[in-house]
Amino acid sequence: MAETLEEKYQDLFDIDSNLNRLVKKIELLNYINPLNIESEKKQFFGAKYNYEPTFKYPKLRFNGYKLHRLFFSQRLERIKDDDIRDLYKDIIYEYSGLIECIETIGKGKKFYYNSLKSFGTPTERDIENAKFILRFDDSGFEEDLLPLYNVDDAIAYFEDYKKRYDFDFTIKKSTNISAAAMVQNNTQTLVLRKNHKFSKNQLAVLANHEIGVHMVTTFNGLNQPLKVFSNGFPNNVETQEGVAVYSEYMSGNLTITRLKELAYRVIAADSLAKGYSFSATFDLLHNQYKLNRDKAFVVTLRIHRGGGFTKDYLYLTGLKKVYDYAKSGKDLDVLLTGKVTLEYKDVILKMQDLGLAMPSKHYTDAFLENNNTNKNFDFILNSLK
């Protein structure tokens, strides 16, 4: 009888399964979103922006120290292949860094330094790219950008949209998220912000971004023999968000307003490195860059949550990397195989050759044809350094 894949790579599957059990406990996004956003926002606006919000966060549901020990007790030397062993080593360091992030949420600078280790901070070139984008005008009236739809309209829209894909997921409402929508990978749930008003364009953007990419990679990851595709490769945020925003571009839903939002995130993340407080970052966006106060609040919140969360600058760097990658004719399929990273593409292809990974079962429909009609975007994306 021929040996099965699992028998042939027994040690790899054992380690992968051990890590899977441990990782289930550490979904950073479940811990980083404050529980009292609305009341603090009210107070911040009531004090004419002269107030430093005090955010409360969910309680830890794991013992960080014990988790670290279990991660580092994995006998990686039993994985024969050098490249795959290196991948798993990188993954353990990555997850260990995420535990440190979660353990220090709400502890100011401590959290910020852990966030830097996991996500980095914008370079001067990133800031120049952001400022270049902010020079473009988005002041024209567009009906598609009017916030006319409530969360129940959005649910109906997404329920209809998901018919394009043959996977099923839950949609739920929440008041405790800092984005308009987000995907919870480990529960296959699309979470929508309860009191948010959506525009027609935003519904299309979120459908492509959250369902067309984040849900697609969630279900592709679950379809892989190894759980690491679900749990995430090191630094996968940049690639995954880059692919997700690229789908907005390909589906013809990217706007200058949206690109500028990603640029404001870079500026705000950089303000952390300069030591700005919450109100100082808000002031920079609202008074200097003239971003309206609600949008300025959301960007500032996203960056300052936890004590300084730099992750948001990676959307723009990721978009540029994925745009250049796709433009050079390379295959996007490999980037959709799970929560993977462009820099590990060769290892993924090697794993596919060995039967340890599958091509994508679900494919982002926005990537089937380019529906972007705005030549401005190609000019902008090609000009980014």
Side-chain angles (χ1 to χ4, degrees):
M1 235 174 79
E3 61 177 347
T4 65
L5 192 65
E6 288 204 30
E7 287 164 349
K8 188 174 175 187
Y9 296 100
Q10 187 67 55
D11 290 318
L12 173 61
F13 275 89
D14 287 348
I15 288 167
D16 183 73
S17 153
N18 292 343
L19 292 181
N20 181 50
R21 260 200 321 279
L22 299 173
V23 168
K24 285 284 169 270
K25 301 186 175 79
I26 53 172
E27 178 90 76
L28 178 58
L29 291 179
N30 290 350
Y31 291 105
I32 189 74
N33 289 318
L35 299 168
N36 57 340
I37 296 173
E38 290 309 315
S39 56
E40 287 301 293
K41 180 179 179 180
K42 214 178 241 160
Q43 207 162 336
F44 182 74
F45 284 168
K48 303 231 175 1
Y49 325 135
N50 248 335
Y51 168 71
E52 293 304 323
T54 317
F55 293 115
K56 295 191 177 70
Y57 298 93
K59 290 236 180 325
L60 272 200
R61 291 195 293 276
F62 61 82
N63 176 331
Y65 186 79
K66 194 172 156 190
L67 262 184
H68 278 295
R69 191 172 67 229
L70 293 168
F71 272 123
F72 286 107
S73 67
Q74 302 304 314
R75 300 181 195 282
L76 294 190
E77 61 280 0
R78 292 183 175 170
I79 299 176
K80 302 287 180 284
D81 185 284
D82 291 350
D83 296 326
I84 298 175
R85 185 172 59 246
D86 284 347
L87 166 66
Y88 275 82
K89 190 170 81 185
D90 292 348
I91 280 165
I92 286 175
Y93 280 114
E94 167 92 354
Y95 293 160
S96 157
L98 287 178
I99 296 170
E100 291 181 55
C101 277
I102 296 171
E103 284 185 305
T104 49
I105 285 173
K107 298 195 171 122
K109 283 277 182 279
K110 256 185 167 171
F111 173 81
Y112 173 59
Y113 295 138
N114 286 325
S115 155
L116 282 178
K117 190 170 101 177
S118 292
F119 303 103
T121 192
T123 61
E124 200 149 329
R125 197 167 71 177
D126 298 333
I127 294 149
E128 279 170 19
N129 283 340
K131 287 180 174 169
F132 171 72
I133 289 171
L134 292 176
R135 292 211 295 267
F136 287 82
D137 180 31
D138 63 339
S139 59
F141 171 75
E142 281 188 60
E143 202 171 328
D144 284 357
L145 298 179
L146 293 175
L148 302 174
Y149 304 96
N150 66 21
V151 70
D152 294 312
D153 300 326
I155 289 173
Y157 181 90
F158 294 133
E159 287 289 358
D160 185 55
Y161 188 90
K162 79 178 189 185
K163 292 176 186 156
R164 302 179 182 202
Y165 292 101
D166 60 342
F167 49 71
D168 197 21
F169 55 89
T170 316
I171 302 179
K172 70 173 200 190
K173 305 181 252 196
S174 167
T175 45
N176 299 330
I177 61 168
S178 31
M182 66 177 244
V183 165
Q184 276 177 337
N185 179 38
N186 56 0
T187 55
Q188 296 97 59
T189 304
L190 175 66
V191 188
L192 304 176
R193 191 160 85 226
K194 207 172 188 169
N195 44 11
H196 186 74
K197 283 273 191 279
F198 300 81
S199 69
K200 192 175 169 187
N201 170 261
Q202 193 180 26
L203 289 174
V205 161
L206 291 171
N208 283 283
H209 182 114
E210 302 293 344
I211 300 173
V213 174
H214 292 326
M215 273 301 175
V216 161
T217 56
T218 287
F219 282 96
N220 282 340
L222 290 170
N223 189 49
Q224 298 288 355
L226 293 163
K227 303 282 187 265
V228 63
F229 283 85
S230 266
N231 296 324
F233 280 45
N235 312 321
N236 70 76
V237 167
E238 183 179 46
T239 299
Q240 292 303 311
E241 297 302 349
V243 173
V245 180
Y246 184 66
S247 80
E248 301 172 27
Y249 158 82
M250 285 290 282
S251 61
N253 291 300
L254 194 58
T255 59
I256 295 290
T257 304
R258 169 68 166 158
L259 260 188
K260 287 174 88 165
E261 181 191 326
L262 304 184
Y264 286 126
R265 291 176 180 183
V266 176
I267 300 292
D270 181 54
S271 80
L272 288 174
K274 294 185 163 74
Y276 281 36
S277 65
F278 188 101
S279 58
T281 300
F282 177 88
D283 181 70
L284 172 70
L285 297 174
H286 182 53
N287 291 323
Q288 200 177 317
Y289 283 101
K290 304 291 179 244
L291 186 59
N292 82 49
R293 72 177 201 164
D294 286 308
K295 283 187 171 177
F297 184 85
V298 170
V299 174
T300 305
L301 166 67
R302 288 182 61 108
I303 294 287
H304 276 273
R305 57 189 163 160
F309 192 39
T310 55
K311 178 195 111 163
D312 269 7
Y313 83 94
L314 292 167
Y315 286 66
L316 194 56
T317 59
L319 171 61
K320 172 64 174 165
K321 277 188 183 177
V322 172
Y323 178 81
D324 289 348
Y325 173 86
K327 211 179 77 175
S328 66
K330 298 196 175 95
D331 187 11
L332 287 161
D333 187 285
V334 67
L335 303 185
L336 296 170
T337 50
K339 306 295 178 187
V340 301
T341 310
L342 180 56
E343 285 71 16
Y344 289 91
K345 181 182 118 235
D346 294 339
V347 187
I348 299 167
L349 295 173
K350 179 183 204 172
M351 288 164 89
Q352 287 182 357
D353 289 342
L354 295 170
L356 290 167
M358 305 290 193
S360 298
K361 180 180 177 185
H362 310 281
Y363 192 77
T364 304
D365 66 357
F367 296 156
L368 296 172
E369 60 171 336
N370 187 344
N371 284 314
N372 171 58
T373 51
N374 188 336
K375 288 285 164 273
N376 257 342
F377 291 125
D378 293 303
F379 170 69
I380 294 172
L381 294 171
N382 282 320
S383 305
L384 297 181
K385 297 188 198 64

